Amino acid sequence: MALQKGDFILLDYVAKVKETNEVFDTTKEDVAKNAHLHKEGEFYEPKLVVIGESWVLKALDEALLTAEIGKETNVEIPADKAFGPRDPDKIRRVPIKQLYAKEINPVVGARIEFQGKTATIRSIGAGRVLLDFNPALAGRTLIYDLTVTKKLEVAEEKIGALIHRRVPVVEENKFKLTIQDKNLTIDMPEETFYVEGIQIAKRGVAMDIQKFLPDLAETKFVETFTAEPKPEAPAPVAEEAPVEEAKTEESQ
């Protein structure tokens, strides 16, 4: 069955620059390590995509409509449908001392913040630095080797994936979901209580559910703090009765 706009899918992919075969993004940890893209704390796993919601590049979003579940698909995206052509007016040469003044150590290829904009350092020489303010992938044709690993069908699967998207540091199966009539209750595992930004994440989950599962009228988050069991008092030790020493009569 063909995929449609609004479908929830899990997407595995390796994204490369066609001209150089350089990997610039992936959901696969081994590929990220080989391409020197691996980041500590990053989660490498199939990515939740709701088709048509612009969670990926528009051209890639459109290509997903023809993808087959479980089958690898190759998608080529020309520059004009990716990050646009490279604009020569966005390339400037500046004195290197301006970077030093901002405590920036210039390295070719580095992405830096300069005068409120992001730039790539293209070259260094004669006391000047060539800064490229174009998007890093502007002017490049992109190749996505992708597989739709699964289509999420039931409400619980979709809710779990939406939660995991917002709170990836806690395993999805640790959230207990209860749907009764049009009300959803999410029992939060204890690991989430101290996650940084958890209140913002909960708000995001509630808004996602309101948007994608409009039949649910109410979303309730339950946080239960369980008291630590009190240590049992040691049982009193019974005093042993004194043992009388046996008397031995001396032989006469």
Side-chain angles (χ1 to χ4, degrees):
M1 182 181 294
L3 295 173
Q4 300 176 358
K5 183 177 179 180
D7 283 346
F8 278 57
I9 63 168
L10 298 181
L11 182 66
D12 227 4
Y13 64 83
V14 177
K16 300 176 287 188
V17 176
K18 181 179 181 180
E19 292 82 357
T20 63
N21 209 37
E22 174 189 2
V23 175
F24 65 87
D25 191 17
T26 184
T27 56
K28 300 180 179 182
E29 187 166 22
D30 57 338
V31 175
K33 288 179 177 179
N34 291 336
H36 306 291
L37 293 173
H38 190 270
K39 297 178 183 177
E40 290 298 324
E42 190 80 18
F43 291 88
Y44 295 91
E45 58 190 0
K47 177 180 179 179
L48 173 65
V49 174
V50 179
I51 297 177
E53 289 298 318
S54 300
W55 289 5
V56 293
L57 285 171
K58 183 179 179 180
L60 178 58
D61 214 351
E62 293 171 349
L64 291 174
L65 294 171
T66 60
E68 295 182 34
I69 298 172
K71 182 178 179 181
E72 184 172 304
T73 303
N74 305 106
V75 178
E76 181 172 320
I77 304 176
D80 61 333
K81 291 187 177 181
F83 292 92
R86 188 172 299 280
D87 184 353
D89 291 336
K90 292 182 179 180
I91 300 175
R92 293 168 46 196
R93 199 175 295 275
V94 301
I96 197 170
K97 62 183 180 181
Q98 291 187 15
L99 272 64
Y100 289 147
K102 296 182 179 296
E103 299 183 349
I104 298 173
N105 183 29
V107 176
V108 173
R111 296 281 286 173
I112 65 169
E113 291 295 321
F114 185 76
Q115 297 180 346
K117 297 179 181 179
T118 303
T120 302
I121 298 175
R122 294 299 180 190
S123 65
I124 303 171
R128 300 175 74 81
V129 177
L130 188 67
L131 297 182
D132 185 350
F133 291 90
N134 283 285
L137 296 171
R140 304 296 183 92
T141 299
L142 310 182
I143 300 289
Y144 280 81
D145 298 327
L146 61 89
T147 303
V148 176
T149 61
K150 187 177 182 180
K151 178 183 174 183
L152 308 184
E153 300 281 5
V154 301
E156 287 82 358
E157 283 185 320
K158 295 177 181 180
I159 294 166
L162 289 171
I163 293 172
H164 187 62
R165 177 172 176 258
R166 299 280 185 176
V167 194
V169 295
V170 179
E171 294 175 27
E172 183 180 328
N173 59 12
K174 290 187 176 182
F175 294 84
K176 181 183 175 183
L177 309 178
T178 304
I179 299 176
Q180 188 171 10
D181 298 326
K182 293 188 175 183
N183 299 325
L184 166 66
T185 300
I186 302 172
D187 285 288
M188 307 286 285
E190 191 171 346
E191 293 97 314
T192 64
F193 296 173
Y194 312 105
V195 171
E196 184 177 355
I198 189 62
Q199 297 303 323
I200 295 173
K202 285 159 62 177
R203 175 65 176 165
V205 169
M207 293 178 68
D208 288 342
I209 292 170
Q210 184 179 8
K211 178 177 181 179
F212 297 116
L213 294 100
D215 289 343
L216 294 174
E218 179 182 275
T219 299
K220 182 186 297 183
F221 297 89
V222 177
E223 296 178 347
T224 303
F225 293 80
T226 305
E228 292 289 333
K230 294 181 180 179
E232 294 182 6
V237 179
E239 294 185 4
E240 296 183 3
V243 179
E244 294 184 2
E245 295 182 4
K247 296 181 179 180
T248 305
E249 293 185 1
E250 294 182 359
S251 321
Q252 297 194 6

